Amino acid sequence: MSGEIMEFPMDSHDVAELDRLAAIYADGDRDAFLREAIRFMASRERAERLQRIQARVHDTIHPPSTVDCDDADPTELSEEGRTP
């Protein structure tokens, strides 16, 4: 596989954690682990972006009511709104 070689400093604790996780998830292959971590984080970012879009659509279709039921004073409810 051809690609760009990257070098960056890492704290010794981070190197140990990278090695530990690479051993668990990629048979000790740091490169394979980092590629998988990038795919995982990209997937997570897409899911979070979709969730934000869905929330905006939901808020557009069903805007929040002006009275939040959790904050409503039960003494202010009309007779129809009271629970038996």
Side-chain angles (χ1 to χ4, degrees), residues 2 8 21 32 37 40 63 71:
S2 65
F8 50 90
L21 293 171
F40 176 82
D71 296 330

Side-chain angles (χ1 to χ4, degrees), residues 45-64:
E45 188 272 333
R46 286 190 300 273
E48 290 171 352
R49 189 169 10 129
L50 177 59
Q51 188 177 28
R52 288 190 304 270
I53 291 169
Q54 289 174 329
R56 280 198 316 264
V57 168
H58 182 269
D59 288 346
T60 301
I61 295 171
H62 305 287

Side-chain angles (χ1 to χ4, degrees), residues 69-82:
C69 293
D70 293 336
D71 296 330
D73 183 355
T75 61
E76 295 178 4
L77 291 175
S78 64
E79 287 300 317
E80 309 82 60
R82 291 183 191 260

